[in-house]
Amino acid sequence: MTPINILVASHGHFAEELVASAEMIIGKVERVEVISLLPEMSFDDFLKTAESILKRNDGKTIALVDLFGGTPSNVLTALTKKYNLEVITGASLCIFIDLYMKVSGEQEINIEELVDETIKIANEGTVHTNKKLD
């Protein structure tokens, strides 16, 4: 089975904390990298960090990013032509955990179906809980 890596990228330390929170629930994760865009970083700094991670990854990488149209999303989307990379915006704890559990399993994975399922989970994970009380 070809390995699938996960790259979580965000503004600030959101990506780091998302992965740390997930590890509280599912335990230590493997084949997961994090990139945090910090105020002192330039676009080029972020690009170089992303490329250094993607160059050393074998197999496919799925990137979860915080915000569509922000620097993490724009940089990683631009790199999809050069690297074996899929980018999904709207990173959340439920998306990360679901995706990680699927890619860490033993079964062969269709990457296009996995991306579609991840987006479906994202949509289903947004709930107005007040309406669940009715």
Side-chain angles (χ1 to χ4, degrees), residues 5 16 22 27 30 34-35 47 59-60 64 71-73 78 84 87 91 103 110 117 124-125 127:
N5 309 289
E16 295 168 41
E30 297 175 352
V34 173
I35 307 175
L47 175 65
K60 190 82 164 170
L64 297 178
T71 298
S73 172
N84 205 1
V87 180
V103 301
N110 177 305
E117 288 174 18
E124 292 172 356
V127 177

Side-chain angles (χ1 to χ4, degrees), residues 8-113:
V8 185
S10 71
H11 296 83
H13 296 285
F14 174 72
E16 295 168 41
E17 295 302 325
L18 185 145
V19 173
S21 295
E23 289 183 325
M24 289 175 60
I25 298 167
I26 61 175
K28 183 78 176 137
V29 296
E30 297 175 352
R31 303 190 72 85
V32 175
E33 300 266 6
V34 173
I35 307 175
S36 297
L37 175 64
L38 302 175
E40 64 273 10
M41 292 176 75
S42 68
F43 181 93
D44 286 335
D45 293 336
F46 190 88
L47 175 65
K48 287 175 188 171
T49 301
E51 285 213 89
S52 72
I53 290 169
L54 293 169
K55 282 178 186 174
R56 70 176 180 256
N57 281 350
D58 57 331
K60 190 82 164 170
T61 299
I62 296 178
L64 297 178
V65 298
D66 58 352
L67 182 67
F68 176 70
T71 298
S73 172
N74 293 343
V75 166
L76 292 172
T77 299
L79 293 175
T80 60
K81 301 293 184 201
K82 189 173 180 181
Y83 297 96
N84 205 1
L85 175 66
E86 302 288 332
V87 180
I88 301 171
T89 64
S92 71
L93 190 56
C94 72
I95 294 171
F96 177 81
I97 290 172
D98 183 75
L99 178 62
Y100 183 78
M101 299 306 282
K102 287 176 180 165
V103 301
S104 61
E106 296 297 316
Q107 72 233 33
E108 191 65 32
I109 298 171
N110 177 305
I111 198 75
E112 291 80 20
E113 288 176 13

